[in-house]
Amino acid sequence: MLFFACEITATMKKIVLFASGSGTNAENIIRYFNENQKAKVTAVFSNNPTAKVIDRVKNHEVTTVVFTKDELHNGYVLEQLNVLQPDLIVLAGFLWQFPVSIIEKYPNKIINIHPALLPKYGGKGMYGIKVHGAVLNNKETETGITIHHVNEHYDEGNIIFQQSIKIDDCTTPEEIAERIHKLEREHFPIVIEQFLNLKS
């Protein structure tokens, strides 16, 4: 399904976001590039028709594409991406494994953010509060975020950026999550901008 569309100038870089949940990172990225005018989020793709991210992006008049798992793997999502011709695909809280067909079509143009310092606490099933719970249970004194390339394996693409933060005074996964969200808001849009400049 397609909703809304946005205008973009010929000189702007085009970003497509993939998100499965609340969309706080997605909205933060949209706002960042709306303000600096160097790039534009042209679409948000989601596998969850009831995800809050869909409501969030409606306020910004960004195209929304909702798809099923079959459509991710049968060529539908790739077709939609080919129409949009993004300069960068950003996974911002997207929980499904990305198909090889899209990775091969957009080599080195797909990045993801993970709420831990990879290679620790990565892999299938490690996302969100599950990561923070594991970090807490293992009595880690610091954690952080990792922004990395996407390949055919969960959380194994080359690392682009990491930022750590102390958590030795945290007593719940939710406290850790709050600190990680702050790091994500602060660094993710800037790293995207720097990455696009490197690729220009």
Side-chain angles (χ1 to χ4, degrees), residues 125-144:
M126 292 299 289
Y127 58 87
I129 205 71
K130 294 183 179 181
V131 173
H132 308 317
V135 167
L136 184 67
N137 289 339
N138 285 337
K139 297 180 170 50
E140 298 282 3
T141 58
E142 69 174 16
T143 186

Side-chain angles (χ1 to χ4, degrees), residues 78 81 89 91 97-110 149-154:
L78 179 57
L81 288 170
I89 298 169
L91 311 191
Q97 190 170 20
F98 233 53
V100 174
S101 58
I102 299 178
I103 295 169
E104 290 179 345
K105 178 68 177 180
Y106 293 91
N108 300 314
K109 290 186 177 182
I110 308 171
H149 288 278
V150 173
N151 63 18
E152 64 271 22
H153 303 293
Y154 280 108

Side-chain angles (χ1 to χ4, degrees), residues 52-192:
K52 291 182 181 179
V53 66
I54 295 171
D55 291 328
R56 286 182 187 274
V57 302
K58 283 179 181 178
N59 298 326
H60 301 280
E61 297 185 345
V62 173
T63 299
T64 305
V65 181
V66 179
F67 60 90
T68 65
K69 183 164 282 189
D70 284 344
E71 288 171 333
L72 179 62
H73 293 280
N74 69 11
Y76 170 79
V77 171
L78 179 57
E79 288 174 5
Q80 299 302 314
L81 288 170
N82 289 341
V83 171
L84 295 166
Q85 288 294 300
D87 295 289
L88 185 64
I89 298 169
V90 177
L91 311 191
F94 183 68
L95 302 183
W96 288 352
Q97 190 170 20
F98 233 53
V100 174
S101 58
I102 299 178
I103 295 169
E104 290 179 345
K105 178 68 177 180
Y106 293 91
N108 300 314
K109 290 186 177 182
I110 308 171
I111 66 174
N112 179 51
I113 190 165
H114 186 76
L117 297 171
L118 293 175
K120 288 185 173 182
Y121 305 105
K124 186 176 182 180
M126 292 299 289
Y127 58 87
I129 205 71
K130 294 183 179 181
V131 173
H132 308 317
V135 167
L136 184 67
N137 289 339
N138 285 337
K139 297 180 170 50
E140 298 282 3
T141 58
E142 69 174 16
T143 186
I145 59 171
T146 303
I147 300 169
H148 63 93
H149 288 278
V150 173
N151 63 18
E152 64 271 22
H153 303 293
Y154 280 108
D155 302 324
E156 293 186 12
N158 290 335
I159 292 172
I160 300 166
F161 173 87
Q162 287 187 312
Q163 180 66 46
S164 62
I165 190 169
K166 292 292 185 181
I167 55 163
D168 48 348
D169 59 337
C170 289
T171 58
T172 67
E174 289 75 17
E175 286 182 294
I176 296 173
E178 186 175 345
R179 295 189 186 185
I180 291 299
H181 291 156
K182 183 177 179 181
L183 286 183
E184 291 172 340
R185 289 192 299 270
E186 180 180 355
H187 294 286
F188 203 8
I190 294 171
V191 173
I192 291 169

Side-chain angles (χ1 to χ4, degrees), residues 23-38:
T24 53
N25 266 326
E27 187 171 35
N28 184 46
I29 292 165
I30 291 168
R31 285 176 171 164
Y32 181 88
F33 287 104
N34 280 348
E35 291 175 1
N36 75 12
Q37 300 294 307
K38 293 181 180 179

